[in-house]
Amino acid sequence: MVLALAEVREGSVEEVSLETLTLARNVAEAEGEALEAVAFADGASELVDELGEFGVSRLHVVEHELLDAYAPDAWAESIRGLVDDREPAAVFAPGTDRGTEVLARLATRLDLPMAASCTAVEVGDGYEITRQRWGGSLIEHARLDAPTALLSVAPHEVAAEAAPVEETAIERFTPELDEADVAVRVVRWEESDAEGVPLPEARVVVGGGRGVGGAEGFGQLEELAELLAGTVGASRAAVNEGWRPHDDQIGQTGAKISPELYVAAGISGAVQHWVGCKGAENVLAINTDPEAAIVRKADWAVLGDLHEVVPAIVEELRAAGE
């Protein structure tokens, strides 16, 4: 079988986990094996229908009195127990901070290689993988040979596709853990002060860069984002200037987004920024420089001053809504 870690948030499976299940299911089908999932959250068994929609034939719900909060070593040790018992051909995890951390610890425990940030896997004599390096600025083609392949899936690079199974079984699993396994754990959560839809979840993002000119210039971008039911983001340059908080940063050292539409206003489009926004289905660039990298990579471009173009778009949208 093939095993995948399903991360859960607020009672539902994270989108990145659905993407992971999709790639893991493709590998399972190529191997002629079943797809199984492991989850740690309270009430995880209630997610069985959602997981069944994505091809999971068996859900392993991990339960232990020490697992009242996220603890990477405890999670890794729990999955190691499942690997010993079920002997999967591969273990997949979302390429999130949490998924990558757990999989790296699992690799150490099993003394196995791990391939991070995968975007495609071909099954043959071993696994032929495509994965991102250097934050996505380099694409690597490699071969992975191991008794159990360990792979994390790059977020928002694999489209989540449903493939329902008739029934998903539930098995509760109590791992052997001790206090040392929870020495590192989450002790509290602090919510961001940012309002609105988080950047990675937004269907429309309006981003501003150095060309916006200052913090006050983002007012027109916020107006445009509101009309499009979107969220405002920023380049690293704008954040470094203090015009926007780091929560708004898009790029290699910020958020990676995959909206239906990304409007990039006054952004040059350096490779570090493109790494964060290349998952967008459509990119509209507004820039005065026809040679700007973002203009060359965008689906559409408006060559002009954003301080004239954005208000014109806003005016047209307001007129269309009247």
Side-chain angles (χ1 to χ4, degrees):
M1 66 93 168
V2 170
L3 183 66
L5 170 63
E7 293 190 51
V8 179
R9 179 183 178 188
E10 297 180 353
S12 62
V13 182
E14 292 263 31
E15 179 69 20
V16 289
S17 290
L18 299 180
E19 298 166 2
T20 299
L21 289 172
T22 300
L23 184 55
R25 186 184 67 239
N26 292 341
V27 170
E29 292 175 349
E31 293 270 28
E33 301 281 355
L35 173 63
E36 301 184 8
V38 55
F40 288 80
D42 290 338
S45 58
E46 298 175 7
L47 305 172
V48 65
D49 291 339
E50 185 177 5
L51 292 169
E53 285 294 310
F54 284 82
V56 175
S57 62
R58 187 182 305 272
L59 169 62
H60 300 273
V61 179
V62 182
E63 298 177 336
H64 196 284
E65 60 182 7
L66 294 176
L67 287 171
D68 58 348
Y70 169 63
D73 286 309
W75 281 35
E77 182 61 23
S78 300
I79 298 175
R80 187 197 63 77
L82 278 176
V83 170
D84 289 345
D85 180 55
R86 303 290 294 168
E87 297 183 348
V91 178
F92 284 80
T96 57
D97 291 344
R98 178 175 295 189
T100 303
E101 182 177 45
V102 170
L103 206 61
R105 281 170 161 78
L106 177 63
T108 299
R109 283 168 166 75
L110 296 174
D111 193 23
L112 291 174
M114 168 194 164
S117 301
C118 298
T119 59
V121 180
E122 296 291 334
V123 177
D125 184 14
Y127 289 173
E128 301 292 334
I129 61 173
T130 302
R131 66 180 188 139
Q132 296 177 345
R133 299 290 301 275
W134 299 101
S137 59
L138 173 68
I139 303 300
E140 176 185 83
H141 299 283
R143 179 186 179 87
L144 177 62
D145 284 310
T148 297
L150 306 179
L151 312 100
S152 71
V153 180
H156 311 311
E157 293 293 335
V158 177
E161 298 179 356
V165 295
E166 292 185 3
E167 183 179 5
T168 302
I170 299 177
E171 287 192 4
R172 300 183 185 280
F173 173 65
T174 301
E176 295 183 6
L177 303 175
D178 57 35
E179 291 292 340
D181 293 315
V182 294
V184 177
R185 65 187 186 277
V186 172
V187 295
R188 72 175 184 273
W189 291 95
E190 292 188 10
E191 293 291 335
S192 169
D193 295 333
E195 298 180 356
V197 180
L199 278 170
E201 301 173 18
R203 302 183 66 170
V204 176
V205 175
V206 179
R210 195 185 303 276
V212 174
E216 66 284 351
F218 276 87
Q220 58 192 330
L221 302 189
E222 290 172 352
E223 188 176 8
L224 176 58
E226 182 179 358
L227 289 170
L228 295 173
T231 298
V232 172
S235 69
R236 180 176 178 176
V239 171
N240 286 347
E241 292 289 345
W243 301 342
R244 302 295 292 189
H246 183 266
D247 284 347
D248 290 353
Q249 185 173 322
I250 300 167
Q252 184 172 344
T253 55
K256 291 181 173 58
I257 60 173
S258 55
E260 295 177 5
L261 172 64
Y262 177 45
V263 180
I267 295 175
S268 63
V271 64
Q272 291 86 352
H273 184 79
W274 185 249
V275 164
C277 68
K278 64 187 180 67
E281 294 181 21
N282 300 282
V283 177
L284 167 63
I286 303 173
N287 206 293
T288 57
D289 181 8
E291 299 301 319
I294 196 74
V295 171
R296 297 197 302 270
K297 295 175 180 176
D299 299 282
W300 300 282
V302 179
L303 299 179
D305 186 341
L306 70 89
H307 299 289
E308 298 176 0
V309 175
V310 172
I313 295 175
V314 167
E315 183 178 350
E316 289 294 328
L317 287 173
R318 292 198 180 280
E322 293 177 353

